[in-house]
Amino acid sequence: MGIIIKTPEQIAGIRKSSQLAGHALEMIKGFIKEGVSTETLDNIIEEYIRDHGAIPATKGYNGYPKSSCISLNEVVCHGIPSPDIILKPGDIFNIDVTTILDGYYGDTSKMYWLGEITPKAKQLIDDTYHCMNLGIQQVKPGSYFGNIGFAISRYAQAKGHSVVYEFCGHGVGIDFHEEPQVEHTGRRNTGPMMKPGMIFTIEPMINEGKSRTKVDKHDGWTARTIDGKLSAQYEHTILVTETGFEALTDVTGEYSE
Ligand code: MF3
Ligand code: CO
Ligand code: CO
C-alpha cells in the first residue's frame, strides 16, 4: 500500500473534517467543571459531532464504546469516558476526538485541567505541547519521518521526561489509521521521506516518570503509566504542503505560515 498521497479533493474533505474535530475540542471547554463525569463530556461531544453532519470515528472502532477518549492523570491514552469518572480540582486530562465527515477523517487531542494544578503538572503539559510543535516543525517535502521523533525525544529528555514508544502517530484521512506509523522517538534522516499530499498525525505522549504503559485488563483499552505518574498528550492532523506543513486540525490560527 505505502503512504497515500491525497488528491486536492481529498485534502479539502480531510481539512473540513479536521476543522470540525478541532472545533469540538474548543466547544467542550465550556462544559469542563468540577463534578462533571467524563461520560457527560463524551455525550456533549457526540451530539456536537452529529449535529454537524459527522460521525465519531472511535464509536465501534475495534469495539471501542465511546465518541472520544478522555485520559486523566496517569492515563496515557484511550481512557474510556464513564459516569464513574468525575472531574475534580487538580486533574489534568486529554480529550481526543476523531471525526468522519463525508467519509474523511480528522484526528486531534489536547490537554485540559481543572482548578489549581501542581507546577510539575503544568510543566509537563507545556513541555508536551512544545514537543508536538517541535515535531510539526520538522514537516516539509524532503524531510524524513525519523526527524519528528528525533526532535520530540531530544526535547522531552532534556526536560527530564520520557517518551511513550508503545503508541504512535499514524497516516490519517481516508482511513482512521493509515501508513506510516509516526514514531515519537527516532533518529535523524531515517524512515520514509515526506512528500506533498501526505497527511498524518503527530501525537506525542510524554510521561513524568517511566515511559512504559500497561493496558487495563478489565476494559482492554485504558493505557496507564506503569509507575502511576502523570502523562500528557497533544495531537494534530498535519498535511505536507509544497513548502512545509498545514495543521489541518488547528482552529486557533497559530500555525499560519
Ligand atoms: N484518536 C486516537 C488516535 O489518536 C485513537 C483512538 S482509538 C480508540 O489515534 F479506539 F481508542 F478510540
Ligand atoms: Co491519532
Ligand atoms: Co486521536
Side-chain angles (χ1 to χ4, degrees):
M1 262 317 301
I3 304 173
I4 302 170
I5 305 291
K6 274 82 176 182
T7 65
E9 186 191 341
Q10 290 168 334
I11 291 169
I14 297 164
R15 183 185 288 113
K16 230 174 129 185
S17 187
S18 294
Q19 288 281 301
L20 177 59
H23 282 299
L25 293 185
E26 295 305 309
M27 172 282 300
I28 201 63
K29 284 180 178 168
F31 297 91
I32 290 171
K33 292 187 183 76
E34 182 173 0
V36 168
S37 75
T38 57
E39 185 184 68
T40 296
L41 297 181
D42 185 75
N43 286 336
I44 295 166
I45 288 167
E46 175 165 12
E47 189 180 324
Y48 182 86
I49 290 171
R50 293 193 191 278
D51 279 353
H52 288 80
I55 299 165
T58 54
K59 200 157 204 175
Y61 175 76
N62 291 338
Y64 186 82
K66 294 289 183 179
S67 299
S68 64
C69 298
I70 306 186
S71 303
L72 264 74
N73 301 324
E74 79 286 357
V75 179
V76 173
C77 62
H78 304 165
I80 303 177
S82 160
D84 302 328
I85 303 176
I86 309 289
L87 299 180
K88 57 179 191 316
D91 283 338
I92 70 167
F93 50 101
N94 173 281
I95 303 182
D96 191 334
V97 171
T98 308
T99 47
I100 311 173
L101 182 62
D102 302 328
Y104 296 113
Y105 289 72
D107 187 6
T108 183
S109 80
K110 62 168 39 163
M111 294 301 294
Y112 305 80
W113 55 92
L114 200 61
E116 285 277 307
I117 61 171
T118 65
K120 254 181 106 173
K122 186 61 169 56
Q123 192 67 49
L124 179 68
I125 291 170
D126 291 348
D127 292 344
T128 303
Y129 187 65
H130 196 63
C131 279
M132 178 186 66
N133 283 333
L134 287 172
I136 291 173
Q137 301 300 333
Q138 300 305 313
V139 177
K140 59 176 183 213
S143 181
Y144 293 89
F145 278 91
N147 296 346
I148 295 171
F150 176 77
I152 288 170
S153 55
R154 187 175 59 170
Y155 185 76
Q157 275 155 24
K159 292 289 176 175
H161 310 306
S162 67
V163 180
V164 173
Y165 57 86
E166 294 165 304
F167 298 95
C168 295
H170 48 93
V172 68
I174 310 295
D175 221 325
F176 198 161
H177 293 101
E178 302 172 0
E179 283 185 53
Q181 281 208 51
V182 179
E183 295 180 5
H184 302 114
T185 61
R187 284 178 297 125
R188 244 181 200 146
N189 299 339
T190 63
M193 190 190 277
M194 296 176 205
K195 297 195 173 72
M198 289 182 178
I199 297 178
F200 50 86
T201 71
I202 297 179
E203 48 179 302
M205 286 144 271
I206 306 295
N207 294 353
E208 195 188 356
K210 295 200 167 78
S211 67
R212 286 279 313 284
T213 67
K214 186 172 81 242
V215 174
D216 190 290
K217 271 205 286 292
H218 302 287
D219 69 24
W221 285 102
T222 309
R224 297 186 177 83
T225 57
I226 51 164
D227 54 13
K229 294 191 176 182
L230 295 177
S231 185
Q233 179 180 28
Y234 281 87
E235 173 177 25
H236 271 312
T237 293
I238 305 294
L239 164 71
V240 185
T241 64
E242 294 296 331
T243 53
F245 68 86
E246 180 182 337
L248 296 177
T249 39
D250 175 45
V251 296
T252 67
E254 73 184 282
Y255 292 95
S256 35
E257 279 172 90

